[in-house]
Amino acid sequence: RLKVVPSAKSPDQLTVYDGDTGARLRTVGGTGDALGQLNRPNGVATIDDRYVFVVERDNRRVQMFSLPDFQPLLVFARDDLRQPYGLWVRRHGDGYEVIVSDNYTLGEDAQGEDIIPPLEQLGHRFRRYQVSQEGGRWVASAGGHFGDTTAAGAIRVTESVFGDEANNRLLVAEEDIPTGTRLREYTMDGRYAGRDVGAGNYRAQAEGIALMRCKDGSGWWVASD
């Protein structure tokens, strides 16, 4: 059956709903930093109807669970991430590649607003990880980072990312309202492709992104603010 798994940030949980009826089925997690616990979960991605990956902003890590039982399998990226928010997962090699957005800042100003790093420091806005099985257990390794550092293509405030491998495309959310919140198009290898989507249409920050594919190769991008 179809299930919907949103993150509940304040109680540090995932809430699982029946996608057909809306019935609340269970919760997953609870506050902490042990395997299976969560701290400010944000981005959620499922793949192959077998696994779910969750970004934890305040644990500064990604956690992998099995489906349908939500057994915790792996935590990773704690040595790299500073303020992660979103992620996208695809099949890659003998396992999966996980692309994670990292909204690191330079602290807060006198008004309590985040200080955005200068353009030349935004080259680590997204990090790659390869997740695969070795000796019967899941392991993760760092696979590099990317982020445009030009005024046209940089992501000043980041969260959501979603990929379209068939068209060599990553859509990444630029949430910075003074610059003009929108979606920017990157290539799968992390280069700014020179095209933006939604500029002038968003009333607030560009947030969730999803791709609906059709069998004939067409489809729709669905985005929220």
Side-chain angles (χ1 to χ4, degrees):
R1 295 180 63 88
L2 174 66
K3 293 181 174 62
V4 178
V5 188
S7 56
K9 299 176 185 179
S10 295
D12 300 317
Q13 296 175 338
L14 304 181
T15 305
V16 185
Y17 295 94
D18 186 300
D20 295 314
T21 68
R24 187 173 183 268
L25 302 177
R26 62 172 295 184
T27 61
V28 177
T31 305
D33 60 6
L35 187 67
Q37 294 180 322
L38 301 168
N39 194 348
R40 193 73 176 181
N42 199 73
V44 180
T46 63
I47 191 164
D48 289 343
D49 294 326
R50 298 182 64 189
Y51 305 107
V52 58
F53 291 80
V54 184
V55 169
E56 301 173 59
R57 189 196 70 179
D58 289 356
N59 274 335
R60 298 188 296 279
R61 68 183 188 181
V62 179
Q63 192 159 183
M64 178 184 184
F65 295 85
S66 62
L67 292 174
D69 55 3
F70 286 92
Q71 288 298 309
L73 301 175
L74 176 69
V75 295
F76 60 95
R78 284 179 290 195
D79 294 334
D80 303 317
L81 298 174
R82 287 176 274 176
Q83 191 166 269
Y85 273 92
L87 80 169
W88 177 68
V89 183
R90 63 166 174 162
R91 292 183 185 178
H92 189 257
D94 61 352
Y96 302 103
E97 183 183 52
V98 183
I99 297 177
V100 186
S101 65
D102 193 353
N103 196 53
Y104 53 87
T105 67
L106 298 180
E108 296 181 348
D109 61 20
Q111 289 72 45
E113 298 294 329
D114 288 337
I115 301 173
I116 299 171
L119 292 176
E120 62 268 19
Q121 296 181 23
L122 296 179
H124 291 67
R125 269 297 185 239
F126 302 92
R127 290 188 176 271
R128 301 180 188 270
Y129 299 91
Q130 178 69 25
V131 177
S132 56
Q133 284 191 310
E134 292 183 5
R137 65 186 185 94
W138 287 98
V139 296
S141 59
H145 56 82
F146 63 92
D148 194 271
T149 56
T150 68
I155 304 298
R156 296 156 181 81
V157 180
T158 186
E159 183 165 355
S160 299
V161 52
F162 208 102
D164 176 10
E165 289 186 87
N167 292 291
N168 187 32
R169 179 179 295 133
L170 284 170
L171 283 190
V172 295
E174 167 61 278
E175 295 191 357
D176 187 47
I177 292 177
T179 300
T181 182
R182 64 193 69 197
L183 305 180
R184 298 199 192 278
E185 181 182 338
Y186 278 47
T187 59
M188 291 298 299
D189 62 2
R191 294 178 293 108
Y192 177 51
R195 180 166 65 169
D196 294 348
V197 180
N201 294 332
Y202 288 105
R203 294 178 179 271
Q205 290 181 323
E207 289 273 357
I209 310 169
L211 176 63
M212 298 174 60
R213 293 188 178 89
C214 298
K215 291 182 179 179
D216 64 0
S218 64
W220 292 268
W221 284 99
V222 181
S224 65
D225 70 345

